[in-house]
Amino acid sequence: MLVVMKKDATAEQVTAVVRAIEELGYRAHPMPGALRTAIGVTGNQGAVDATHFETLAGVAEAIRVSKPYKLVSLDLKHDRSVVRVGDSTIGGDELAIIAGPCAIESREQTFAVAAAVRKSGARFFRGGAFKPRTSPYAFQGLGEDGLKILAEVREEFGLRIVTEAMDEAGVDMVERYGDILQIGARNMQNFTLLRRAGRSSLPILLKRGLAATLEEWLLAGEYVMSEGNYNVILCERGVRTFAQHTRNTLDLAAIPEVRRLSHLPVVVDPSHGTGRNHMVTPLARAAVAVGADGLIIEVHAQPERALCDGAQALRLEQYEQLVFEVRAINEAMTPASVTA
Ligand code: PEP
Ligand code: MN
């Protein structure tokens, strides 16, 4: 159920509707928009009777939402969501660039990449302290020591930190050191973790699962939002197919479709999406061209020595060139360039 307020509804009327929803034992999610506020109703098992709300002051209409996801849906909120971290944004006109190594390996390795990321003008730095590895014998990340290095990067370079947590204890730790919490592809349907992320004050970067449909991915976002955290960024990072020329198949058709269904910002990870150095830049260009709100790019000063995902890491100068190119594409695509 979606309760749409009239354009001139007052804050008191919105509060009264929220109270009426809560009195029925449901949860209310007010979403202010440019033209009107809509209030999502969740927590109901069956259908909710629209007449409960339609008679309340300031209510324009109450609409049944037939899609399985509600809060992520464009039906609820017509204005595109912009996630703000300090003065940096994901989802506005500016293309968000999130770059850094796959894993935090050492202070020196991290700082070398961070300096290049800062120089490129990107606002966000990525790097895993907790790494979900296929083999239990592979490098698992530095854990809290890695997060401390990331906190130093934030201090030294003014970059916002995007980093993964694999479990609830990890979320507690990332909340102490990071700015955006990444939920990795392997955890996209870890529902306990999603609910914990929904109670976090950090924005969530939610990667698409290795074999997730768009509906499953959006429902994972719905888990986070249903707990009250509305700052969700979706990330397309490729899915498993029969292809042998790439690590994953980057599903760029997902971008316009997600933007048709949801108000959430969506970024693309061409590093995991291809797994191969020479494909990262071409697919990054394409991602921007199909409407991605940002990119997440793995970068290493010495990819051949990387402890994790070296084959897909860009060298510093490759990364610098990529940023130059994707910014030009993004600028060519902003509406201003059509009217100018
Ligand atoms: C990563 O970002 O390094 C990572 C492990 O990504 P994914 O969850 O998409 O595999
Ligand atoms: Mn990686």
Side-chain angles (χ1 to χ4, degrees):
M1 172 75 55
L2 170 60
V3 182
V4 182
M5 301 300 293
K6 289 182 180 153
K7 260 196 275 207
D8 56 357
T10 63
E12 289 73 31
Q13 288 171 337
V14 172
T15 308
V17 174
V18 166
R19 210 171 302 127
I21 293 168
E22 288 171 353
E23 272 165 14
L24 289 166
Y26 308 142
R27 187 159 182 170
H29 304 265
M31 300 276 163
L35 291 179
R36 43 93 163 149
T37 293
I39 307 171
V41 182
T42 62
N44 52 300
Q45 298 298 334
V48 183
D49 187 354
T51 55
H52 281 310
F53 309 112
E54 277 175 344
T55 50
L56 298 176
V59 172
E61 56 179 338
I63 307 168
R64 291 267 293 280
V65 183
S66 55
K67 298 194 184 89
Y69 44 82
K70 325 272 176 202
L71 303 175
V72 305
S73 165
L74 209 54
D75 297 338
L76 178 69
K77 186 168 178 283
H78 298 320
D79 314 285
R80 306 214 66 84
S81 289
V82 177
V83 172
R84 291 174 202 284
V85 188
D87 61 350
S88 308
T89 54
I90 302 182
D93 283 343
E94 192 185 337
L95 182 71
I97 296 180
I98 306 166
C102 178
I104 302 306
E105 301 169 8
S106 69
R107 193 172 180 280
E108 296 63 40
Q109 167 251 9
T110 306
F111 270 53
V113 181
V117 171
R118 173 72 244 180
K119 185 164 153 253
S120 76
R123 306 291 196 101
F124 300 93
F125 188 76
R126 65 145 291 146
F130 301 102
K131 294 305 305 175
R133 303 306 300 280
T134 301
S135 163
Y137 309 118
F139 176 60
Q140 306 283 310
L142 297 181
E144 191 165 8
D145 288 342
L147 293 177
K148 288 181 180 162
I149 295 172
L150 285 168
E152 280 188 63
V153 165
R154 175 167 52 183
E155 225 13 68
E156 179 87 16
F157 299 96
L159 294 163
R160 308 287 174 175
I161 304 302
V162 182
T163 194
E164 177 165 357
M166 299 199 300
D167 51 30
E168 292 174 82
V171 176
D172 294 340
M173 264 194 248
V174 169
E175 284 174 337
R176 287 203 287 277
Y177 300 99
D179 296 299
I180 295 183
L181 167 67
Q182 176 171 322
I183 303 286
R186 290 154 192 81
N187 273 315
M188 191 208 79
Q189 285 191 318
N190 181 337
F191 301 116
T192 317
L193 187 60
L194 293 174
R195 285 202 190 278
R196 172 66 185 85
R199 294 190 299 273
S200 178
S201 57
L202 296 184
I204 307 303
L205 181 87
L206 178 62
K207 290 200 147 191
R208 182 179 178 184
L210 273 73
T213 63
L214 292 203
E215 187 165 295
E216 288 164 341
W217 188 19
L218 291 171
L219 280 168
E222 187 80 13
Y223 261 91
V224 177
M225 289 188 77
S226 71
E227 293 290 330
N229 186 350
Y230 306 131
N231 288 313
V232 177
I233 305 140
L234 300 168
C235 176
E236 162 61 38
R237 47 77 73 206
V239 290
R240 275 281 166 85
T241 68
F242 52 82
Q244 292 178 326
H245 60 290
T246 50
R247 181 178 180 189
N248 292 292
T249 297
L250 191 63
D251 179 12
L252 290 182
I255 306 309
E257 186 61 359
V258 162
R259 289 175 63 94
R260 192 179 71 85
L261 298 171
S262 174
H263 56 84
L264 295 176
V266 56
V267 303
V268 169
D269 173 351
S271 304
H272 294 87
T274 62
R276 303 186 63 188
N277 177 291
H278 76 281
M279 294 180 177
V280 173
T281 298
L283 272 291
R285 294 184 199 119
V288 176
V290 297
D293 293 297
L295 295 167
I296 176 162
I297 306 288
E298 288 192 348
V299 186
H300 202 289
Q302 293 173 290
E304 61 288 350
R305 299 183 68 172
L307 296 181
C308 185
D309 287 353
Q312 67 197 33
L314 293 191
R315 294 190 308 277
L316 304 184
E317 71 279 7
Q318 289 180 305
Y319 164 70
E320 206 176 316
Q321 178 67 23
L322 174 148
V323 172
F324 178 76
E325 293 179 18
V326 294
R327 285 234 173 91
I329 296 168
N330 191 54
E331 248 161 66
M333 286 178 57
T334 55
S337 67
V338 179
T339 52

